[in-house]
Amino acid sequence: MSLADGVIVVNKPAGWTSHDVVGKMRGIAGTRRVGHLGTLDPMATGVLPLMINQATRLARFWDHSEKIYEGVVRFGFATTTYDREGDQVGDAVEIAVPASQVEACLATFRGQIMQTPPPVSAKKINGVPAYKLVRQNKPVELEPVPVSVFELRLESVEDDRARIFVRCSAGTYVRSIAHEMGQMLGCGGHLDSLVRLRSGPFTLADARTLEELQLWKNEDRLADALIAPPDLLPDFPGAFVDDVTARQIRQGRDFSVSPFRVPEGAEYVKALGPEGTLVAIGKIIIPGLYHPMVVMP
């Protein structure tokens, strides 16, 4: 039997692609309709939110969600992928980098910066992912893009490795930061490990391993891992509507909300049916009147 609508947060294992995790969850959840919010590289672990069934309709609201990571940068040589999965570039050097030098590098990456994505990435060139062109030995030249690094903190330094904490906008590559730090220090560098601690509102505390989820399925309690649609997007205020209004909303009609229930001028609201089910996400037209932007069946 297929799982109900909602989001399940997976703690992605190392060595799996995000697509691998989606495929595994399709089997566990008993549905083909599974999507993920924000790709994690195979080497990385941590928070990978998966949208199940009709919850995929809500994906747009997390497109620009900030991310939080903890990573380890290894100095001494660069790699073709900017992480430990790639081939070594040049000769390796033994080095112990002082914390003061690492901190000086980090200072240049804070705030809004222009970042060049790694050549082995999902960024597209004329509609083709860059990593596919690299596999075909075709030249890859990616343009720098603006990203925001809200917080970048040095956690520790030990010999040739530095542990960093990163809070950033969607689309930021921690691999690129590691690579560029190695260039700045003149010794080469790459990302040795990466854990995503948060993606939008979803945290590592919410996450379950694939083994746990399979066990919960076997015990017929997989629904315990599901965040139901009414509980998603907690920043959007909820407005209860009656059955007649719910039917009208599903037909695409605008709807009004009580000023006593929804803060005046709120950009989005969750229209909730009498039983608390999510009917739609409405976007403000004028104060108190909303247009159904996403409708749930």
Side-chain angles (χ1 to χ4, degrees):
M1 187 174 70
S2 176
L3 193 63
D5 306 332
V7 169
I8 288 181
V9 185
V10 173
N11 186 347
K12 190 190 85 67
W16 288 56
T17 67
S18 298
H19 185 70
D20 291 337
V21 176
V22 167
K24 180 68 173 178
M25 182 52 65
R26 284 173 175 158
I28 294 174
T31 177
R32 294 291 302 169
R33 196 162 187 185
V34 178
H36 66 76
L37 296 173
T39 302
L40 269 179
D41 292 330
M43 179 196 76
T45 64
V47 174
L48 184 66
L50 299 183
M51 301 162 293
I52 312 296
N53 292 317
Q54 300 298 338
T56 55
R57 297 180 178 220
L58 305 175
R60 70 181 75 182
F61 297 107
W62 295 296
D63 281 347
H64 304 292
S65 295
E66 71 176 39
K67 311 291 194 292
I68 296 179
Y69 300 94
E70 186 175 76
V72 173
V73 181
R74 181 180 178 185
F75 299 106
F77 63 94
T79 71
T80 52
T81 58
Y82 298 2
D83 64 20
R84 73 163 188 255
E85 302 284 283
D87 296 328
Q88 181 177 314
V89 176
D91 297 327
V93 297
E94 291 188 14
I95 189 170
V97 183
S100 59
Q101 291 187 21
V102 176
E103 181 56 53
C105 288
L106 293 180
T108 66
F109 296 103
R110 297 187 181 110
Q112 188 168 43
I113 62 172
M114 297 298 293
Q115 183 184 71
T116 302
V120 180
S121 68
K123 290 288 186 181
K124 293 184 177 180
I125 300 175
N126 296 324
V128 180
Y131 69 85
K132 290 188 176 181
L133 298 175
V134 171
R135 288 175 185 170
Q136 297 167 9
N137 294 317
K138 293 182 178 179
V140 171
E141 292 186 14
L142 292 167
E143 294 295 322
V145 296
V147 299
S148 295
V149 180
F150 308 113
E151 189 175 356
L152 181 56
R153 191 170 69 233
L154 178 61
E155 301 277 79
S156 63
V157 178
E158 185 173 348
D159 298 327
D160 61 352
R161 288 172 170 81
R163 185 176 298 275
I164 60 175
F165 173 93
V166 187
R167 183 169 63 89
C168 57
S169 62
T172 304
Y173 284 90
V174 182
R175 281 188 285 149
S176 287
I177 293 176
H179 178 77
E180 292 180 33
M181 287 174 68
Q183 288 182 319
M184 293 172 69
L185 291 169
C187 60
H190 62 276
L191 194 62
D192 193 52
S193 68
L194 186 69
V195 181
R196 186 151 69 190
L197 304 177
R198 178 185 286 269
S199 175
F202 307 108
T203 70
L204 203 54
D206 303 320
R208 301 287 178 265
T209 66
L210 291 170
E211 290 80 9
E212 283 180 289
L213 294 169
Q214 182 64 62
L215 177 63
W216 287 17
K217 178 190 178 181
N218 296 343
E219 296 175 348
D220 199 26
R221 61 187 187 101
L222 183 59
D224 291 348
L226 194 73
I227 306 173
D231 299 321
L232 297 170
L233 303 165
D235 292 339
F236 295 179
F240 282 92
V241 297
D242 58 29
D243 285 330
V244 172
T245 304
R247 285 196 297 271
Q248 292 172 342
I249 290 172
R250 289 192 170 103
Q251 293 167 1
R253 292 178 59 177
D254 299 338
F255 61 99
S256 59
V257 300
S258 168
F260 301 106
R261 296 286 185 179
V262 174
E264 184 177 358
E267 184 176 7
Y268 296 103
V269 299
K270 293 187 286 191
L272 304 171
E275 296 179 358
T277 56
L278 181 63
V279 176
I281 303 294
K283 186 171 184 179
I284 192 168
I285 302 174
I286 58 174
L289 186 65
Y290 288 80
H291 177 73
M293 187 176 178
V294 174
V295 175
M296 303 296 282

